[in-house]
DNA sequence: TTTGTATTTAGAATAATTCTAATTTGACAG
DNA sequence: CTGTCAAATTAGAATTATTCTAAATACAAA
């Protein structure tokens, strides 16, 4: 991935404030530094950054997708009241099947979602 | 939740074919049995079913939300090639911090997401 | 230079979902 | 029963996040 001026701007803006902003949030923040940037560019840049693994999407509730630049593996805790998203670090040396996530004191879990992305056996065979 | 005719229809339709359909898929399937049902009703019914815990939303890719009536706790494996969603059962007697998910033979994991929904400590305090 | 390819841009288009307002339903009280 | 009321349903309009389009720009390589 070519780190263009706009991609760097979007990425830096994301790193500046780790509050899981939406594309629109990032657009407004980035525009303060480069007023000519367009919404489409923010989406394009985010797409490129997600594709190369520097950024992750967080899909929550019925609102816009949020973006996360926290690179160490972590789970997201979504507060159902205030909507805040908390990064929960985990010991990433542990194996996937034995994951350890520390839930902060006072947090109550209602439910959780796990989505594993990859390729299924049928598709792996077809691709050899 | 009042299990009205339409809610029962949507729920039964979801149970009939466990392929994680979108709201639109369900609309077309449900319409075969009750041609007067409307798209808005399908959304309303799904919302009610999700709220009462009978149904779960699965958010994947950039497409429409998918719905899942598999009630036993499980993770989703999303094939990045064909888009299929597989339910991965887990031993739900295991504690959250020690979850065991069996990945089927031949499946390759690229990445996975965990989202935990609940209430954060601040909001829990404000609600006492 | 010239050429080509990728990126950016503004605005239009799309698609999923939500909203609106009118109608229907069904439970319950009288 | 019959009337009342709240909740649910409905069709279609509205919204909103996101993607698409086509032109302009940038920038690397020949």
């Amino acid at each position: 991935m070519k780190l263009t001026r706009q991609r760097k701007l979007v990425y830096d803006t994301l790193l500046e404030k780790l509050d899981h902003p939406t594309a629109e949030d990032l657009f407004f923040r980035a525009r303060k530094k480069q007023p000519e940037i367009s919404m489409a560019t923010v989406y394009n840049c985010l797409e490129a950054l997600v594709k190369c693994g520097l950024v992750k999407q967080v899909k929550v509730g019925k609102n816009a997708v949020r973006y996360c630049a926290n690179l160490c593996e972590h789970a997201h805790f979504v507060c159902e009241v205030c909507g805040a998203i908390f990064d929960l670090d985990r010991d990433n040396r542990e194996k996937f099947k034995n994951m350890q996530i520390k839930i902060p004191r006072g947090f109550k879990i209602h439910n959780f979602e796990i989505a594993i992305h990859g390729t299924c056996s049928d598709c792996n065979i077809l691709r050899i």
Side-chain angles (χ1 to χ4, degrees), chain A:
Chain A
M1 199 226 15
K2 195 158 56 173
L3 194 62
T4 63
R5 188 163 52 99
Q6 288 86 345
R7 284 175 185 171
K8 184 160 166 29
L9 173 65
V10 169
Y11 187 53
D12 288 346
T13 307
L14 192 53
L15 285 173
E16 239 160 48
K17 202 174 167 199
L18 301 169
D19 62 345
H20 306 86
T22 63
E24 203 187 20
D25 293 335
L26 286 169
F27 172 56
F28 288 125
R29 292 179 197 174
R31 216 164 50 165
K32 284 183 190 157
K33 289 174 259 170
Q34 186 187 313
E36 326 81 70
I37 200 166
S38 79
M39 190 75 221
T41 302
V42 173
Y43 274 104
N44 289 344
C45 292
L46 286 169
E47 194 190 3
L49 291 163
V50 167
K51 204 169 274 170
C52 84
L54 277 176
V55 168
K56 291 210 163 192
Q57 292 191 322
V58 188
K59 284 163 201 173
V60 139
K62 44 186 167 185
N63 308 305
V65 171
R66 293 164 175 285
Y67 292 88
C68 176
N70 180 345
L71 280 181
C72 80
E73 272 188 38
H74 62 280
H76 288 120
F77 188 101
V78 183
C79 180
E80 288 171 345
V81 176
C82 65
I85 300 172
F86 301 85
D87 288 351
L88 305 186
D89 294 331
R90 54 181 283 273
D91 181 348
N92 63 14
R93 286 158 305 183
E94 287 294 324
K95 292 228 288 290
F96 178 55
K97 60 185 279 186
N98 192 21
M99 52 182 69
Q100 300 193 302
I101 295 160
K102 260 216 317 232
I103 309 297
R105 262 184 149 290
F107 280 43
K108 275 194 212 148
I109 295 170
H110 285 191
N111 60 67
F112 57 92
E113 288 159 44
I114 300 174
I116 305 166
H117 294 254
T119 43
C120 68
S121 45
D122 289 354
C123 293
N124 281 330
I125 288 164
L126 291 171
R127 277 181 141 190
I128 291 169

